[in-house]
């Protein structure tokens, strides 16, 4: 028996329950870990609320990320031993491999021995953010020195990871946040420029910063009306990578800007990387190198105890955080 978080209906954070469940041993090719910390993600709040790509059968578990020690190995798993300190790259389905619990099983290819310098909380705050940002900026956009990269929702864990990754290859980062409340923190986190979209002329500021080359890459999880000023400031042949849908407003298709500038608007999910063994191996190597060198340093907004999972989800959805929300066990 182990304590796990489950929900029996869609709704707000209050639908989450901690329950005692008899968990099966890890299956073939799986690793079961004793969880020390969990990293929370917006996808989990969307799943809980009924607005995610997967449709659960109740009761359902949640969670993509965890860090802990290896508890048991399924048949056919090599390279790991009981007691190893590991962290988890998000698998393809959190319904099949939910992370929120004292024990959790994952595909062995997604279980990584992370650098010993990381705390459990830091290790639980690594893989979703860095692999998501790596896949978009390095694997797909192939950003390089002097590329102007716009990062919206910049104070999120993925946004901060994108700033660090872009800086590591010498790109110029333009962080976009809603208000000026987090402006100094974003500058301190390494953003070359920060724009408060609700207080400034986003299109005008982007054009002024990136003139004359224009913005080559936009990395956006919001959608909605922000598409208009973003595409208006993009360079000919620019690439907008959309990896979320946080805006509740309709997203316009800027037809004439796309046509006149030969823009590419591309949808992206992290499973493009995690579902491809070769691309996943490259992502692992990039992230581990960055962690060891110090170029990549997880930023933790706040840590909650496991018993306060409801409060952790409330904070996750409050937009107050700067970095990753973590739960410790």
């Amino acid at each position: 028996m182990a304590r796990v978080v489950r929900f029996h209906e869609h709704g707000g954070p209050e639908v989450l329950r901690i329950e005692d469940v008899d968990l099966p041993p890890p299956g073939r090719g799986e690793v079961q870990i004793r969880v020390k910390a969990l990293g929370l993600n917006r996808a989990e709040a969307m799943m809980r609320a009924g607005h995610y790509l997967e449709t659960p059968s109740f009761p359902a578990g949640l969670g993509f990320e965890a860090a802990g020690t290896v508890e048991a190995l399924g048949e056919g798993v090599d390279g790991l031993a009981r007691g190893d300190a590991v962290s988890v790259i998000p698998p393809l389905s959190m319904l099949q491999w939910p992370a929120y619990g004292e024990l959790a099983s994952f595909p062995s290819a997604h279980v990584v021995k992370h650098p010993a310098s990381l705390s459990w909380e830091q290790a639980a705050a690594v893989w979703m953010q860095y692999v998501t940002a790596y896949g978009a900026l390095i694997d797909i956009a192939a950003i390089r020195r002097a590329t102007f990269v716009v990062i919206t929702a910049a104070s999120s864990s993925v946004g901060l990871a994108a700033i660090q990754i872009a800086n590591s290859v010498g790109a110029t980062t333009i962080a976009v946040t809603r208000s000026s409340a987090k402006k100094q923190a974003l500058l301190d986190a390494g953003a070359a420029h920060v724009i408060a979209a609700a207080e400034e002329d986003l299109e005008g500021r982007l054009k002024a910063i990136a003139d004359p080359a224009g913005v080559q890459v936009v990395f956006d999880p919001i959608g909605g009306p922000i598409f208009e000023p973003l595409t208006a400031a993009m360079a000919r042949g620019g690439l907008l990578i959309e990896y979320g849908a946080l805006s509740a407003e309709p997203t316009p298709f800027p037809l004439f800007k796309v046509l006149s500038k030969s823009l590419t608007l591309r949808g992206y999910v992290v499973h493009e990387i995690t579902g491809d063994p070769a691309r996943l191996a490259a992502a692992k190597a990039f992230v581990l190198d960055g962690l060891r060198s110090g170029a990549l340093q997880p930023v933790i907004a706040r840590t909650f105890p496991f018993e306060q999972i409801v409060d952790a989800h409330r904070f996750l959805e409050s937009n107050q955080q700067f970095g990753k929300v973590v739960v410790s066990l």
Side-chain angles (χ1 to χ4, degrees), residues 18 25 31 64 78 97 117 124 148 154 164 172 176-177 179 183 274 278 312:
I18 297 177
V31 177
F64 271 126
D78 297 317
W97 296 287
S117 59
F148 281 98
Q164 293 178 12
T172 301
V176 177
T177 186
S179 74
K183 184 172 184 177
T274 60

Side-chain angles (χ1 to χ4, degrees), residues 260-282:
S260 64
K261 297 183 179 184
S262 301
L263 301 181
T264 298
L265 308 184
R266 188 195 193 285
Y268 163 68
V269 293
V270 69
H271 303 315
E272 294 182 43
I273 306 300
T274 60
D276 182 318
R279 296 168 83 185
L280 178 58

Side-chain angles (χ1 to χ4, degrees), residues 193-239:
H193 307 273
V194 180
I195 302 172
E199 302 171 9
E200 303 179 70
D201 173 7
L202 178 57
E203 177 184 340
R205 287 276 284 121
L206 287 173
K207 287 180 175 178
I209 292 168
D211 182 68
V215 172
Q216 289 106 348
V217 177
V218 174
F219 185 46
D220 176 61
I222 301 172
I226 200 173
F227 257 43
E228 293 283 3
L230 289 174
T231 52
M234 290 179 71
R236 178 174 294 278
L239 170 64

